[in-house]
Amino acid sequence: MLLAKRKIHLTEDDNYRHIPVKISVPSGVKKLVIAIRYSPKYEENPSRCLRIIKQCICAQTGSEPSDDEAIKHIPLANHLSFSIDSPRGWLGTSHRHDYRQEIEIGESSSAGFIDFIPCRGSYVLTVSVNAIVTPSLDVDITAEAIQ
C-alpha cells in the first residue's frame, strides 16, 4: 500500500538543510519500505569541481591548493543522509553514499535502523543535505506499507 510519494528539488542553497517528509502509517503494518533515488550523483565539470574544492580547502586550511592538488578530488559527489522517527522515537539513520537506497523498518530492519514493527501514527523521514555539488539535485521518495 502506497503511503507517500514525494519529489524534492534541491539547489546549492539547500546545503546543510534538514527536510522533513511526513508519512502517515495505518495500523496492521508489518513492514515500512522507503525507496529513495536522487540524481545526479556526481559533478564532473572540472572547472566547477576545482572552484568548490579550492573554496573548501581554503576555508579549512587558510590557503588555496594548487590545481594539481585539487584535481585529485574530482569527481565530486552529492551526499544526502536519511533518518526516520516514529511516534515512539528515533529509529535510525542512513549515511550511505549510494544514490539509490531502500530502507526497511520491521522485524528485521535495514542496517543503521532498529528492528521495530511499525505502529500506527505519524512518521518523519528527515532528508539531511550534507553536500550538493551540482547546480541542482532531484530526490524521489516512495513509502510503502507491507501488511
Side-chain angles (χ1 to χ4, degrees):
M1 165 194 318
L2 182 65
L3 301 177
K5 190 169 186 149
R6 174 115 183 248
K7 290 185 179 290
I8 303 170
H9 181 76
L10 302 170
T11 68
E12 293 172 293
D13 293 337
D14 293 306
N15 268 318
Y16 316 117
R17 284 189 54 215
H18 301 283
I19 302 160
V21 176
K22 294 183 181 182
I23 303 167
S24 182
V25 176
S27 57
V29 172
K30 292 193 179 350
K31 186 189 297 184
L32 179 62
V33 179
I34 301 172
I36 303 157
R37 308 284 183 266
Y38 64 89
S39 67
K41 176 62 182 171
Y42 296 102
E43 175 59 71
E44 297 188 36
N45 176 304
S47 60
R48 183 175 169 79
C49 287
L50 284 173
R51 180 181 55 78
I52 294 169
I53 292 164
K54 287 181 175 189
Q55 284 175 343
C56 291
I57 291 175
C58 189
Q60 291 176 1
T61 66
S63 62
E64 187 174 293
S66 68
D67 284 355
D68 288 340
E69 183 182 334
I71 207 159
K72 296 175 190 175
H73 301 285
I74 295 173
L76 295 178
N78 289 314
H79 184 254
L80 305 177
S81 58
F82 308 94
S83 61
I84 301 175
D85 291 278
S86 77
R88 296 190 182 150
W90 176 81
L91 296 179
T93 302
S94 166
H95 289 284
R96 298 168 190 87
H97 290 270
D98 198 347
Y99 64 97
R100 295 167 297 158
Q101 296 188 36
E102 189 168 279
I103 300 168
E104 294 186 2
I105 301 296
E107 187 175 5
S108 180
S109 294
S110 298
F113 295 87
I114 62 171
D115 295 338
F116 178 81
I117 302 297
C119 60
R120 180 178 175 273
S122 183
Y123 288 63
V124 177
L125 169 73
T126 301
V127 178
S128 294
V129 183
N130 300 314
I132 295 181
V133 295
T134 54
S136 65
L137 178 70
D138 291 309
V139 185
D140 292 310
I141 300 167
T142 304
E144 294 185 85
I146 309 295
Q147 295 183 310

